[in-house]
Amino acid sequence: MTNLYPKNFLNQVIIRIDFSNPIEELRSEIPKKLNTKALKFFPILEPRDAYLGHLSLEITAKDSEDVPQFEKKKMKDWIYFGKDREKELHINVDALFIVYTKYESYKQLHDDFIAISEPLFSEFETFGIKRIGLRYINIISLSEANPTNWKKYLNKNLLCTFNLCDNQKIISRAFHVLELKIEDIQ
């Protein structure tokens, strides 16, 4: 990949699918086809026990004690790593996501994601998707007089957020969100 900037500030890239309902079959085992495909792109498997928790509180009469109820269910978090641990894949009952700590290209992200999601979709044809997310995380630490002057580091079209604030010295965090509406779907 040809880097367009003198320094790549990407700290992480994350692509994630949240399932609309838990895929209970993934709680204790992973389908063979999915495991085989995951190991091809992420050859180190380190499954871990995880717990999914739910807290509920019922408000009752003034004289009674309101005690929060906490319910937790054990599950496996199927964690696969790239050969140099430069990327990791998580598959569990609620989500599938890939985290890159050494991001090479969008093509690699796309190829990994499609290769892993295809056997998931074929194995569990009826599950729904609640959310799909793609996040690029930049950490830019500059020791300059004006720490929000990033013109020499980033494309000017990415810097419009800074123009929304009159006093740029008080900015502690800046990020963009792009939401789409297609017909009646937000």
Side-chain angles (χ1 to χ4, degrees):
M1 176 178 122
T2 304
N3 195 353
L4 301 175
Y5 302 109
K7 181 175 180 186
N8 182 353
F9 291 99
L10 280 175
N11 182 267
Q12 283 186 335
V13 176
I14 303 167
I15 187 163
R16 179 180 177 113
I17 298 175
D18 290 335
F19 310 136
S20 57
N21 293 305
I23 301 177
E24 292 298 330
E25 295 88 344
L26 293 171
R27 188 167 301 282
S28 58
E29 67 180 60
I30 192 136
K32 186 177 180 179
K33 243 172 139 174
L34 180 56
N35 185 57
T36 301
K37 186 62 84 161
L39 287 169
K40 182 177 178 183
F41 290 82
F42 299 82
I44 302 167
L45 172 59
E46 294 179 3
R48 297 186 187 136
D49 288 337
Y51 294 89
L52 185 62
H54 176 76
L55 181 66
S56 62
L57 176 64
E58 185 176 319
I59 309 296
T60 57
K62 182 179 177 183
D63 296 334
S64 65
E65 283 189 35
D66 298 324
V67 180
Q69 301 296 317
F70 186 74
E71 176 190 339
K72 67 179 183 178
K73 286 185 174 181
K74 187 177 179 178
M75 67 175 185
K76 279 285 188 212
D77 189 10
W78 304 97
I79 305 171
Y80 299 81
F81 294 92
K83 63 180 169 70
D84 297 322
R85 294 187 178 266
E86 75 287 6
K87 60 184 179 176
E88 63 187 76
L89 164 67
H90 290 252
I91 304 171
N92 59 52
V93 298
D94 287 327
L96 173 148
F97 61 95
I98 301 173
V99 179
Y100 297 87
T101 53
K102 184 179 178 193
Y103 182 71
E104 295 295 326
S105 68
Y106 176 79
K107 180 177 179 1
Q108 179 194 9
L109 176 144
H110 177 271
D111 292 350
D112 287 351
F113 182 73
I114 295 300
I116 301 305
S117 60
E118 281 178 343
L120 179 75
F121 292 140
S122 67
E123 183 72 29
F124 305 106
E125 295 175 0
T126 59
F127 81 92
I129 295 174
K130 178 172 44 178
R131 183 180 73 141
I132 297 177
L134 175 61
R135 179 178 288 180
Y136 290 88
I137 300 172
N138 298 293
I139 296 180
I140 300 175
S141 300
L142 304 174
S143 55
E144 296 184 13
N146 184 356
T148 59
N149 184 5
W150 296 354
K151 290 179 182 142
K152 64 183 177 183
Y153 302 105
L154 299 176
N155 182 303
K156 69 177 182 165
N157 294 325
L158 297 173
L159 301 174
C160 60
T161 301
F162 296 121
N163 299 332
L164 299 174
C165 183
D166 292 333
N167 182 0
Q168 293 185 355
K169 291 181 181 181
I170 63 172
I171 296 173
S172 64
R173 184 175 174 193
F175 61 93
H176 297 274
V177 174
L178 177 65
E179 294 185 7
L180 305 175
K181 182 176 181 184
I182 302 170
E183 296 177 11
D184 292 337
I185 301 171
Q186 181 75 21

